Amino acid sequence: MIATDTLDHTAAAPAQPTLPRGLAGTPDDKEMLRAAVELTRDIAVARPEIYWPDMLASAALGYGALAGAILSANPFIATLWGVVAALALYRALLFIHELTHIHKNALPGFRFGWNLLVGIPMLTPSLMYEGVHTLHHARTRYGTADDPEYLPLALMKPWSLPLFILVAILLPVGLLIRSAVLVPLGAVIPPLGRLVWERASALSINPDFRRRPPEGEFARMVFWQELGASAWALFLVWWSATHGWRPLLIGIAVISLTAVLNQIRTLVAHLWENEGDAMTVTGQYLDSVNVPPPAVLAPLWAPVGLRYHALHHLLPSMPYHSLGEAHSRLKKHLGLESTYEKANYRGLLPLVGRLARSTMMPR
């Protein structure tokens, strides 16, 4: 026997890296990740015969119902029309999420058509999400201080949730001021223009996020979208000042409801429990939320496939119309005891309750 045979070989082994706490320390479930790709290849193409009618019908219903709310003299009927308008325009607006993920050549003309019919009229052109939302999906950014769409809401104070909703209520007024006042002034006052771009051009929830200047083809697209939104905003102000403010105020109320719906959906899109560490893809998945059938109201508060938000983080480029089928295939293949099942929840209220309780816990 030689001397080295008596050494404790376990002591000589290299130390294992310390994993972060919570979901950030979740190792990747390679079987789930592989299955997500392999089982869905045949349904991964965006279908224009679904996108166009859905978007156009949603916009038409939304604007028609908005006209009904404006023209109705009966407050009850006007309110009903307003709710219908908010729900339909909410669905139409959330196609902005699809625009950030589909290939620019996948649906010819769809980006232009959506901006013309929905983005610019609602003062939310696609520039406010494109180039921003993809950062949220970046492997090294999700859940960190560099993620424009993440805050550890579950670890914050109880008053943070009401404040989160209040911001949404005021959003339409902020968008009107941005496009009618700040963007035109920024065009002639460069420091203001840079500030507006950095701090007020992205649909983000992280107050520390600063946006980089646009470049190349995207910069040209930004110019035309900003020009269209500002021209429309100035027209709205001029028409209201000369013909009456009632239509604009009703429109603001409807868009406020739309913004509140989206903010509530955002509250339950994730568990919001990460404390700033970079996360594995599986950790991101488990920090995200699916609300699959039989939750019957989910298509109203999480339309255009966003009821499958956790699955979306596994397959960011999967078109919204294929997520239901992808979910069924993965659930059947992986089983009820799998990692995949752990991100599926029953409905909106239990998730809101969980988040609210978490903010009340002593830290």
Side-chain angles (χ1 to χ4, degrees), residues 21 33 56 95 103 110 128 143 157 177 179-180 197 252 258-259 272-273 309 321 329 345 354 359:
R21 294 181 299 167
L33 301 183
L56 292 173
F95 277 94
H103 190 275
F110 190 80
M128 303 189 79
K157 300 297 183 182
I177 293 172
S179 290
W197 178 258
I252 287 174
T258 295
W272 308 108
E273 295 176 353
H309 197 74
H321 54 70
R329 294 181 184 185
Y345 296 86
R354 171 182 173 145
T359 65

Side-chain angles (χ1 to χ4, degrees), residues 22-323:
L23 291 175
T26 304
D28 270 326
D29 185 331
K30 294 182 180 179
E31 180 187 1
M32 179 180 71
L33 301 183
R34 183 167 50 251
V37 174
E38 293 178 352
L39 294 176
T40 61
R41 284 196 177 100
D42 62 317
I43 55 172
V45 176
R47 298 172 59 185
E49 69 271 21
I50 295 178
Y51 273 79
W52 278 103
D54 194 344
M55 186 271 287
L56 292 173
S58 298
L61 176 60
Y63 292 134
L66 178 59
I70 292 171
L71 297 174
S72 177
N74 185 313
F76 179 74
I77 299 299
T79 299
L80 289 180
W81 277 122
V83 171
V84 173
L87 289 170
L89 291 175
Y90 178 40
R91 183 176 185 86
L93 184 64
L94 282 186
F95 277 94
I96 195 174
H97 181 256
E98 292 294 300
L99 289 175
T100 66
H101 289 290
I102 59 175
H103 190 275
K104 64 180 181 179
N105 297 324
L107 297 170
F110 190 80
R111 176 174 282 98
F112 175 79
W114 181 88
N115 275 294
L116 184 66
L117 297 174
V118 180
I120 287 175
M122 296 183 71
L123 302 180
T124 314
S126 62
L127 71 89
M128 303 189 79
Y129 216 44
E130 295 187 87
V132 177
H133 180 63
T134 50
L135 300 179
H136 174 58
H137 284 271
R139 165 66 180 81
T140 57
R141 285 180 182 259
Y142 176 90
T144 70
D146 295 324
D147 185 343
E149 296 181 37
Y150 199 97
L151 284 175
L153 292 169
L155 310 178
M156 299 175 75
K157 300 297 183 182
W159 52 259
S160 61
L161 299 188
L163 180 61
F164 199 66
I165 301 300
L166 178 62
V167 170
I169 294 174
L170 299 176
L171 179 64
V173 176
L175 292 174
L176 185 62
I177 293 172
R178 178 191 181 276
S179 290
V181 179
L182 297 180
V183 171
L185 285 178
V188 296
I189 307 174
L192 176 61
R194 287 192 294 270
L195 180 64
V196 171
W197 178 258
E198 289 178 359
R199 302 296 303 275
S201 68
L203 296 176
S204 63
I205 64 173
N206 182 351
D208 295 327
F209 176 66
R210 302 292 184 273
R211 196 169 188 185
R212 295 180 179 178
E215 298 177 345
E217 182 181 350
F218 182 62
R220 291 188 289 274
M221 185 181 75
V222 166
F223 173 80
W224 289 110
Q225 288 183 19
E226 292 280 46
L227 181 62
S230 290
W232 174 246
L234 288 169
F235 170 78
L236 287 176
V237 173
W238 168 81
W239 195 96
S240 299
T242 55
H243 294 77
W245 293 93
R246 184 175 183 273
L248 180 60
L249 293 177
I250 292 176
I252 287 174
V254 166
I255 303 305
S256 288
L257 179 55
T258 295
V260 168
L261 286 170
N262 187 60
Q263 204 78 323
I264 292 173
R265 179 199 62 81
T266 300
L267 281 177
V268 299
H270 299 287
L271 301 183
W272 308 108
E273 295 176 353
N274 193 47
E275 297 186 65
D277 295 302
M279 305 177 74
T280 63
V281 176
T282 300
Q284 293 182 30
Y285 172 78
L286 292 174
D287 189 46
S288 305
V289 169
N290 289 331
V291 186
V296 294
L297 295 180
L300 292 179
W301 60 262
V304 196
L306 286 171
R307 68 185 304 173
Y308 298 107
H309 197 74
L311 176 56
H312 169 67
H313 273 265
L314 288 184
L315 299 167
S317 298
M318 183 64 58
Y320 79 99
H321 54 70
S322 297
L323 288 172

